């Protein structure tokens, strides 16, 4: 495939290497410094765009790609206030849009485990749920998109939880998320249930960006030739053994 990279930071460079290793071609590398080069690419120059830029750039990047007929895989977080309009544009253009807050296969299995545990804990209200997420100091959004997805999974299963909060003080209707920024940590997420007598935790620790980048490239391979709005549940339904 001919893959357009939107965002060429550390993640973009990791995606590039994995894409090349898997036999793909890089159609372009677009960042803030050279965004005008996007205008030079025609419809046939790109099979899929993989968008890992910044919350400030993501919406315009996705819109430009959909208007050009390019399928888009997006992993940028912090822009989801515009998700409804992006999905409307995708339908209007008969395009293809794939979004995930985290492309790691392991993290997406962790999402499922998180919901199963929350379902069990519904019967035990003496346990207080909270979360901690740790990322590198260059990460711009907090809480992480992965943490928000975990919180949403908990909210689906625990009727008392109506929202998430970045305030760590206990709030009866909220899932508290503590966000820490330390060194070069790729990503650690902990879901914790505390009671007076014990604590139950599930934890995912990423050792590098490789897992995120591989998942994004696999999503791009899967999305090519499709129309519609998709996420990791759609992908894992067909490639669970990846």
């Amino acid at each position: 495939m001919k893959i357009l990279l939107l965002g060429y930071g550390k993640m973009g460079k990791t995606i590039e290497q994995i894409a090349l290793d898997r036999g793909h071609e890089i159609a372009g590398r677009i960042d803030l410094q050279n965004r005008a080069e996007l205008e030079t690419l025609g419809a046939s120059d790109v099979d899929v765009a993989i968008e890992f830029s910044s919350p400030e750039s993501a919406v315009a990047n996705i819109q430009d790609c959909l208007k050009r007929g390019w399928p888009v895989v997006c992993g940028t977080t912090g822009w989801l206030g515009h998700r409804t309009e992006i999905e409307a544009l995708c339908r209007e253009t008969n395009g293809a849009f794939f979004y995930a807050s985290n492309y790691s296969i392991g993290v997406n299995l962790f999402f499922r485990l998180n919901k199963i545990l929350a379902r069990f804990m519904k019967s035990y209200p003496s346990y207080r749920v909270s979360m901690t997420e740790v990322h590198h100091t260059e990460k711009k959004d907090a809480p992480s998109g992965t943490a928000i997805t975990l919180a949403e999974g908990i909210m689906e299963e625990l009727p008392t939880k109506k929202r998430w909060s970045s305030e760590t003080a206990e709030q009866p209707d909220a899932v508290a998320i503590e966000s820490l920024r330390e060194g070069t940590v790729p990503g650690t997420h902990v879901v914790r249930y505390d009671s007076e007598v014990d604590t139950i935790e599930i934890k995912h620790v990423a050792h590098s960006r490789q897992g995120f980048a591989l998942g994004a490239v696999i999503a791009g391979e899967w999305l090519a030739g499709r129309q519609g709005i998709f996420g990791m549940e759609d992908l894992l339904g067909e490639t669970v053994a990846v």
Side-chain angles (χ1 to χ4, degrees):
M1 294 191 310
K2 293 175 283 188
I3 297 176
L4 174 65
L5 299 176
L6 293 166
Y8 197 57
K10 292 177 182 177
M11 190 64 178
K13 291 180 173 67
T14 305
I15 290 170
E16 175 182 39
Q17 189 55 59
I18 288 175
L20 293 172
D21 290 345
R22 291 172 72 88
H24 301 303
E25 173 187 342
I26 303 302
R29 303 162 183 83
I30 304 297
D31 220 332
L32 284 175
Q33 292 73 23
N34 69 333
R35 198 176 187 287
E37 292 182 19
L38 193 64
E39 304 299 326
T40 68
L41 296 169
S44 63
D45 294 325
V46 175
D47 293 318
V48 66
I50 300 182
E51 210 284 340
F52 276 81
S53 60
S54 68
E56 297 77 23
S57 302
V59 173
N61 286 343
I62 298 165
Q63 289 172 333
D64 285 349
C65 290
L66 291 174
K67 289 174 182 176
R68 288 172 167 78
W70 300 334
V72 187
V73 171
C74 178
T76 302
T77 57
W79 63 272
L80 292 183
H82 298 277
R83 186 167 183 171
T84 300
E85 64 190 82
I86 289 296
E87 293 184 350
L89 178 61
C90 181
R91 288 188 285 267
E92 179 185 326
T93 58
N94 294 314
F97 178 63
F98 191 114
Y99 173 76
S101 61
N102 194 307
Y103 282 84
S104 161
I105 302 301
V107 164
N108 281 275
L109 296 174
F110 189 65
F111 287 154
R112 294 181 178 185
L113 178 61
N114 171 62
K115 291 183 69 172
I116 291 169
L117 178 57
R119 196 173 307 145
F120 287 152
M121 299 308 292
K122 180 166 57 175
S123 300
Y124 302 94
S126 61
Y127 285 88
R128 303 175 301 277
V129 63
S130 63
M131 294 172 48
T132 300
E133 58 98 352
V134 189
H135 281 86
H136 52 86
T137 54
E138 295 177 12
K139 186 167 180 58
K140 296 179 180 179
D141 57 320
S144 68
T146 300
I148 292 171
T149 300
L150 287 164
E152 290 172 343
I154 292 167
M155 289 154 53
E156 287 179 26
E157 302 296 337
L158 296 182
T160 58
K161 300 302 177 182
K162 309 297 184 185
R163 60 191 178 92
W164 58 265
S165 172
S166 55
E167 296 179 17
T168 55
E170 184 180 354
Q171 301 170 71
D173 68 336
V175 180
I177 305 175
E178 179 184 26
S179 297
L180 304 176
R181 298 292 174 259
E182 300 175 356
T184 58
V185 177
T188 296
H189 294 85
V190 180
V191 179
R192 182 181 305 104
Y193 290 86
D194 285 303
S195 76
E196 297 300 322
V197 296
D198 58 12
T199 297
I200 300 169
E201 284 187 354
I202 56 172
K203 181 177 185 179
H204 181 275
V205 180
H207 300 306
S208 72
R209 292 182 175 85
Q210 295 293 118
F212 310 132
L214 174 60
V217 174
I218 290 171
E221 294 168 349
W222 182 89
L223 188 63
R226 284 180 160 85
Q227 289 183 339
I229 298 162
F230 304 100
M232 288 299 286
E233 287 293 324
D234 304 295
L235 173 64
L236 290 177
E238 296 188 16
T239 60
V240 71
V242 170

